[in-house]
Amino acid sequence: MAARRQRQAIYAGMLLFPSLVLLTTFAFWPTIATLWSSLYSRGTSRRPSHFAGLDNYSDLFADPVFWQVVGNNAIYAAVTIPASIAIALAMALWADAKMPARSFVRIAYFTPTMLPMIAAANLWLFFYTPGIGLFDQIGSLFGFGDVNWLGQPETALWAIILVTIWKEAGFFMIFYLAALQTIPPDLKEAATVEGATRFTYLRRVILPLLMPTTLFILVNALINSVRLIDHLFILTKGGPDNATKLILYYIWEMAFAYFDTPHAAAMTVLVLIVLGIVAALQFTLIDRRAHYR
């Protein structure tokens, strides 16, 4: 019995070893190195870096731009996450219904996800161009003047939010559509026999069965809310007046534009902590409502 358990332990270790190597190389070690770097000062050729403790973190908390970036990212996440999930669910319900040209509708919804990020940003840059852009052309039909959507702080962040919702809703729709096709049709027939309305069937049957998918999408949407950077390079570069600067763009700017890697590492550690806490809360609160089959 002891020899059998030893063989099973060796077999399990051999199976886990490749994953352990990959996770250590690309996840654990970079995380530890980032945490270590955040505790040292910025070094130069004449003044080497030294252990600074939590000074980098206190500098960030005293930086008004950092808090503006945090506020921008909070608004960005609070709007894009629920809006993209709700639109994705609505599109999936429609794409799953029996109707003509259903395949064309599904492809049309998923097309924004297939576009490269830079190409999508350039497309929307044309839409937002003052005077000749699509939105100003439509507005001129109703007597509105030209609007510099990306050039004024009042509208720039909302313009970025609209691009994100347009792109992510189609991606999340695929998960909802796959989950809808796993629901047995017998449930709908039973609900029809019982006299349930379509809204009651959606609220009492569809949404509870989609909770595991919703939880998965919610965690992915949360991660995506702090990883936007390519659209900002094309559309606004964080401007005007830091109005569209998000946390990942600020980390890049701090590390590669200002060469201040310790403060960039400190911001990265803070982002990891916040994401970990929010993800734990999501699993704790929503997982109780998920019905796994």
Side-chain angles (χ1 to χ4, degrees):
M1 181 64 72
R4 182 181 178 184
R5 289 182 178 177
Q6 187 176 9
R7 286 198 301 272
Q8 289 179 342
I10 294 173
Y11 184 65
M14 293 174 64
L15 292 176
L16 293 175
F17 183 73
S19 299
L20 183 61
V21 170
L22 291 176
L23 286 174
T24 302
T25 304
F26 297 107
F28 300 147
W29 174 249
T31 302
I32 295 173
T34 301
L35 177 61
W36 187 256
S37 177
S38 69
L39 301 177
Y40 278 79
S41 67
R42 179 184 178 184
T44 62
S45 58
R46 295 183 177 181
R47 187 181 59 184
S49 63
H50 62 275
F51 185 78
L54 300 178
D55 288 352
N56 293 324
Y57 295 92
S58 59
D59 291 344
L60 285 178
F61 293 145
D63 181 10
V65 177
F66 172 73
W67 289 112
Q68 183 179 1
V69 170
V70 171
N72 292 342
N73 223 132
I75 295 173
Y76 176 82
V79 176
T80 58
I81 292 175
S84 58
I85 291 177
I87 294 174
L89 178 59
M91 291 193 304
L93 290 171
W94 190 22
D96 190 52
K98 295 180 179 179
M99 61 178 179
R102 184 169 60 178
S103 299
F104 174 77
V105 172
R106 294 178 179 180
I107 294 173
Y109 284 157
F110 192 62
T111 298
T113 304
M114 295 188 292
L115 288 176
M117 300 290 259
I118 299 299
N122 277 289
L123 179 67
W124 280 87
L125 186 63
F126 170 72
F127 290 166
Y128 287 138
T129 302
I132 61 173
L134 177 65
F135 290 111
D136 278 359
Q137 292 293 327
I138 296 175
S140 65
L141 299 177
F142 298 95
F144 294 106
D146 297 343
V147 179
N148 191 357
W149 299 96
L150 298 173
Q152 54 188 14
E154 294 80 10
T155 57
L157 182 60
W158 296 101
I160 299 295
I161 287 173
L162 182 60
V163 176
T164 302
I165 294 173
W166 169 79
K167 191 164 180 58
E168 292 208 331
F171 178 63
F172 295 149
M173 180 211 68
I174 293 299
F175 297 102
Y176 274 130
L177 186 59
L180 285 172
Q181 292 177 353
T182 64
I183 297 177
D186 299 347
L187 296 178
K188 187 172 184 179
E189 295 174 2
T192 304
V193 171
E194 293 292 334
T197 63
R198 296 180 64 180
F199 178 74
T200 302
Y201 175 68
L202 173 66
R203 186 167 64 90
R204 295 289 188 182
V205 179
I206 296 294
L207 293 182
L209 292 178
L210 291 179
M211 282 305 292
T213 306
T214 302
L215 178 60
F216 171 78
I217 291 175
L218 195 58
V219 173
N220 278 273
L222 174 66
I223 296 172
N224 291 342
S225 68
V226 295
R227 54 184 290 191
L228 182 74
I229 188 170
D230 37 18
H231 286 176
L232 299 182
F233 273 107
I234 300 298
L235 295 174
T236 62
K237 291 183 171 56
D241 194 20
N242 300 319
T244 60
K245 190 174 288 183
L246 302 181
I247 193 70
L248 187 58
Y249 188 89
Y250 195 38
I251 291 174
W252 173 88
E253 193 176 59
M254 192 70 76
F256 300 105
Y258 304 144
F259 299 103
D260 191 352
T261 52
H263 283 92
M267 277 193 286
T268 304
V269 172
L270 292 176
V271 170
L272 290 176
I273 293 173
V274 171
L275 284 180
I277 293 173
V278 175
L281 289 175
Q282 286 178 336
F283 277 106
T284 303
L285 299 177
I286 300 179
D287 197 52
R288 296 174 182 173
R289 297 177 177 272
H291 301 270
Y292 298 100
R293 289 169 294 169

